[in-house]
Amino acid sequence: HFYSRTYAHAGGQDEEARPRRRETADDDEHPYYMNALLEEAGATSVEFEPMHTQCCGGPHSLSDEMVSEKCVMMILQTAKRNGADIIATECPLCHASLEMYRHRLMMKGVPDVDVPAAYFTQLLGLAFGYRANDVKLKDNLSNPLPTLKRLGLAKEEARGLVKEPQRSNERENNACVIPLDLYYDIETQTWLRVNEDGTFTMCLTDVGQVRAVSLLHARIKDKGNVIKKGKPVSSLESGTWAGV
């Protein structure tokens, strides 16, 4: 079973002008194309509206994390309690929000939120005969591989590829390869590395880059400034938020 999440794109059309069940495009109010694709591939769709198009809260992930967390909790609990094994996604921002807040909710002990997520294209890849490594399932933070293996739907080894040995300066945790020479700040989704010459390198994590969408401006404190512990050393501005 999968819980398929799709989104309507009305495009500002008048109610009377919105086609229903069109031959060449998805339905605006009740999208079904992704469900149809996955059902043709052998999946069983778990349908329950209006949660079918419930917002993941991604646009609020920095301005109001409690709103985003509540939206994700409702989606995950509804999916779990209706028998879904996995959530199929199509939007990178929705996918990042579901996986990030799922981890937080599980750490808080919230019940019925342990449903992994996978892009619908990854699931279709498995149906076409590709292996888990071919469709990069291990890159998913929620790691749907154990669930898919339990259902007999995934094999881990990639076709024609040899798995690279884990490097001594890396550690794998929950399908994420974490370099041991980096320091992470989960709240700001940034990491820092101390270079051999005494300088520092800072960067956004993959999740931070997805949430930022596109960076518009970066400002760094001048050389020689003394920065107190806990104070920002730089600020970033993107098309969706401004943060430290």
Side-chain angles (χ1 to χ4, degrees), residues 3-237:
Y3 172 44
S4 178
R5 302 191 61 244
T6 55
Y7 289 84
H9 299 279
Q13 299 177 21
D14 294 333
E15 186 68 26
E16 295 299 325
R18 292 176 183 170
R20 298 284 187 259
R21 300 289 176 179
R22 296 171 291 191
E23 293 296 328
T24 58
D26 207 346
D27 188 282
D28 294 319
E29 298 297 331
H30 307 281
Y32 64 98
Y33 269 22
M34 189 164 71
N35 287 30
L37 281 171
L38 291 171
E39 286 174 351
E40 285 295 321
T44 302
S45 176
V46 178
E47 295 283 351
F48 38 91
E49 295 191 19
M51 296 300 293
H52 183 65
T53 54
Q54 170 68 34
C55 177
C56 67
H60 303 283
S61 57
L62 283 176
S63 60
D64 195 336
E65 291 189 353
M66 294 302 295
V67 170
S68 296
E69 186 175 290
K70 184 176 180 180
C71 289
V72 170
M73 182 183 70
M74 289 192 297
I75 293 168
L76 292 174
Q77 288 185 334
T78 305
K80 180 73 173 182
R81 292 167 183 175
N82 281 270
D85 297 305
I86 194 167
I87 296 178
T89 61
E90 61 181 22
C91 169
L93 181 58
C94 296
H95 189 94
S97 295
L98 284 169
E99 295 202 306
M100 180 177 66
Y101 287 108
R102 170 186 178 271
H103 179 72
R104 290 190 183 185
L105 291 165
M106 290 178 66
M107 293 294 290
K108 292 180 179 180
V110 177
D112 297 335
V113 295
D114 56 331
V115 185
Y119 288 107
F120 80 98
T121 47
Q122 290 178 310
L123 299 176
L124 287 176
L126 295 177
F128 293 153
Y130 288 92
R131 297 177 184 266
N133 288 357
D134 293 323
V135 296
K136 307 299 183 182
L137 278 175
K138 278 197 170 183
D139 290 345
N140 295 25
L141 178 62
S142 59
N143 191 13
L145 192 54
T147 298
L148 294 169
K149 280 185 173 181
R150 173 174 56 83
L151 298 172
L153 300 175
K155 295 181 180 180
E156 189 168 353
E157 298 78 11
R159 297 183 302 178
L161 298 178
V162 178
K163 186 177 180 181
E164 295 183 1
Q166 185 171 315
R167 299 176 183 176
S168 58
N169 63 339
E170 295 178 344
R171 179 167 57 88
E172 186 170 335
N173 181 42
N174 197 22
C176 295
V177 176
I178 303 175
L180 298 180
D181 60 340
L182 301 184
Y183 297 88
Y184 290 90
D185 185 342
I186 300 301
E187 293 301 320
T188 59
Q189 290 297 332
T190 56
W191 58 258
L192 180 143
R193 180 177 61 232
V194 181
N195 302 317
E196 294 182 357
D197 60 359
T199 60
F200 297 86
T201 299
M202 291 185 63
C203 188
L204 288 172
T205 65
D206 286 350
V207 173
Q209 293 175 46
V210 169
R211 290 161 62 177
V213 182
S214 60
L215 291 178
L216 304 178
H217 181 74
R219 178 176 297 174
I220 303 174
K221 298 288 186 179
D222 293 333
K223 182 179 179 180
N225 282 358
V226 178
I227 311 297
K228 293 183 179 180
K229 182 179 179 181
K231 297 297 182 179
V233 298
S234 64
S235 62
L236 299 175
E237 181 180 352

